[in-house]
Amino acid sequence: MLAFKIIYINFEGLSIMIKVTDLAYGRITAPDLDKMEEFLLAFGMVRADRTKNALYMRGTDGDHHHLHVTELGEPRHIGMAWWAKTEDDLKAISKAPGASEIHEIDEPGGGKRVTLTDPDGRIIEVIHGMEVVEDLKVRDVIINTGKEKLNRTELQRISANPGQPSHVKRSAHVVVKTKDLNKFNDWYQSTLGLASSDHIKAPDNPDNNLMTFNHIDAGSEYVDHHVLLGIQAENAEFNHLSFEVADFDDVNIGHNWLESKGYKLAWGVGRHVLGSQVFDYWRDPWGRIHEHWTDGDVVNNTHDGGRWDADVGLNNQWGPAFPEDFVDDPHLHVL
């Protein structure tokens, strides 16, 4: 029998090992799992499982066992996990330089996994076959607009302010600093099949990029504007994990709830320019940023990305101005 392997080619001419289908979860550490769970519950997640050394949290959407992992340890960002479409993709990615063999995941939720490291040393997990769980029951989101006033005819009465957390639906994107943005983009695009959406120019040298937004390459199927944002920097640091919530009301309900619990606001509520999400960013007890967002742009392989000046890319359509400590912050932990 003739053996062969399919290799994707993207528009930049890079050969692609596989095309991941989405971000599965971020993996971080914290010295107190009780405090971390308290924050994530207030943030709108639900405990999926907990062991002596790790906490696994889920959202309202089922599909998979968890969307956030915290291991016991000094605060840092370990890495991120991505969904492989098939087990054959796991076999393909296991041939990447420095990749592990396929192995069973010895954690709640199970499944199979290949691990490797990105150019900055983050641990990257490519996973398949995790346990599927059922959706949690939440209210239907039906919105009346100036044009369509009869979408919802029942009265809408949401719990009294500040009555409840947001409803986190899914893990959406991650933002990190990198020492070499070009190498970073090439690796994620050639190894995991991501594609660039838009770039932000470096203010001191417009010929170079300061940031690159990358999205899942699902061909003509529409996906979020970005699943990974890389920022050129002196150190490889973590910035934030991002989670989609139910709707605009849910963003603001969560804002009020987290404020009432005494957590520190990082930035929000506002609407981005690039990606156009309605956003709200909060810091966990060790300063790591977690984002709520809703109503973002979607793109596919017809998207014509651009290079934007920094004052456009870091600005809002509305909401508070970009805070100076949002990217350059002493709470960020170097890998």
Side-chain angles (χ1 to χ4, degrees), residues 172-225:
H173 66 255
V174 62
V175 175
V176 295
K177 290 183 178 182
T178 176
K179 297 178 182 179
D180 188 330
L181 183 59
N182 290 331
K183 186 175 181 181
F184 177 92
N185 290 331
D186 285 348
W187 189 89
Y188 279 95
Q189 292 176 16
S190 64
T191 307
L192 303 184
L194 303 187
S196 60
S197 305
D198 289 283
H199 305 275
I200 297 177
K201 301 174 188 177
D204 57 345
N205 186 353
D207 291 333
N208 294 332
N209 292 322
L210 174 65
M211 302 182 186
T212 297
F213 296 84
N214 288 284
H215 65 266
I216 295 293
D217 184 357
S220 61
E221 180 182 340
Y222 283 94
V223 298
D224 290 341
H225 172 268

Side-chain angles (χ1 to χ4, degrees), residues 114-131:
V114 171
T115 60
L116 55 166
T117 56
D118 77 0
D120 294 311
R122 298 176 191 86
I123 296 177
I124 303 303
E125 307 168 51
V126 182
I127 62 178
H128 181 71
M130 182 183 285
E131 177 187 339

Side-chain angles (χ1 to χ4, degrees), residues 34-299:
D34 288 337
K35 287 180 67 175
M36 192 66 198
E37 182 171 3
E38 183 179 2
F39 168 76
L40 292 175
L41 289 172
F43 189 77
M45 297 184 192
V46 177
R47 185 203 282 196
D49 210 328
R50 180 165 166 176
T51 66
K52 180 180 179 181
N53 296 309
L55 172 66
Y56 304 84
M57 303 294 285
R58 63 163 292 182
T60 60
D61 291 6
D63 297 335
H64 301 289
H65 182 270
H66 55 267
L67 50 68
H68 189 290
V69 180
T70 307
E71 295 182 6
L72 188 63
E74 289 305 307
R76 69 186 183 99
H77 176 229
I78 298 174
M80 58 196 101
W82 302 84
W83 296 115
K85 186 174 184 179
T86 66
E87 196 165 329
D88 283 341
D89 279 348
L90 287 185
K91 294 176 183 177
I93 201 67
S94 70
K95 307 303 181 185
S100 73
E101 296 181 352
I102 300 173
H103 56 274
E104 299 287 338
I105 300 175
D106 185 21
E107 296 181 78
K112 295 183 178 180
R113 171 173 60 196
V114 171
T115 60
L116 55 166
T117 56
D118 77 0
D120 294 311
R122 298 176 191 86
I123 296 177
I124 303 303
E125 307 168 51
V126 182
I127 62 178
H128 181 71
M130 182 183 285
E131 177 187 339
V132 175
V133 294
E134 294 184 358
D135 291 352
L136 300 179
K137 185 175 177 56
V138 294
R139 67 179 177 86
D140 291 333
V141 176
I142 305 174
I143 298 174
N144 285 334
T145 67
K147 185 177 180 180
E148 299 288 344
K149 282 188 175 289
L150 298 179
N151 292 333
R152 174 179 51 77
T153 55
E154 294 184 2
L155 301 180
Q156 178 163 273
R157 298 291 184 267
I158 301 172
S159 62
N161 180 27
Q164 64 186 44
S166 291
H167 296 88
V168 168
K169 292 173 61 62
R170 51 181 283 267
S171 179
H173 66 255
V174 62
V175 175
V176 295
K177 290 183 178 182
T178 176
K179 297 178 182 179
D180 188 330
L181 183 59
N182 290 331
K183 186 175 181 181
F184 177 92
N185 290 331
D186 285 348
W187 189 89
Y188 279 95
Q189 292 176 16
S190 64
T191 307
L192 303 184
L194 303 187
S196 60
S197 305
D198 289 283
H199 305 275
I200 297 177
K201 301 174 188 177
D204 57 345
N205 186 353
D207 291 333
N208 294 332
N209 292 322
L210 174 65
M211 302 182 186
T212 297
F213 296 84
N214 288 284
H215 65 266
I216 295 293
D217 184 357
S220 61
E221 180 182 340
Y222 283 94
V223 298
D224 290 341
H225 172 268
H226 57 277
V227 71
L228 177 67
L229 171 59
I231 305 172
Q232 178 66 50
E234 293 183 3
N235 296 310
E237 297 175 338
F238 169 74
N239 184 249
H240 72 262
L241 296 173
S242 176
F243 303 88
E244 185 176 8
V245 301
D247 63 351
F248 182 79
D249 286 322
D250 217 39
V251 171
N252 286 281
I253 290 168
H255 181 102
N256 291 345
W257 184 255
L258 286 161
E259 186 177 51
S260 75
K261 297 298 181 181
Y263 291 107
K264 183 180 178 182
L265 177 67
W267 185 22
V269 175
R271 185 183 283 277
H272 286 305
V273 174
L274 298 183
S276 86
Q277 300 96 330
V278 175
F279 65 84
D280 195 34
Y281 298 90
W282 290 84
R283 295 190 184 277
D284 75 9
W286 297 274
R288 282 85 57 90
I289 299 174
H290 289 60
E291 177 192 12
H292 287 148
W293 69 264
T294 191
D295 190 29
D297 290 335
V298 292
V299 299

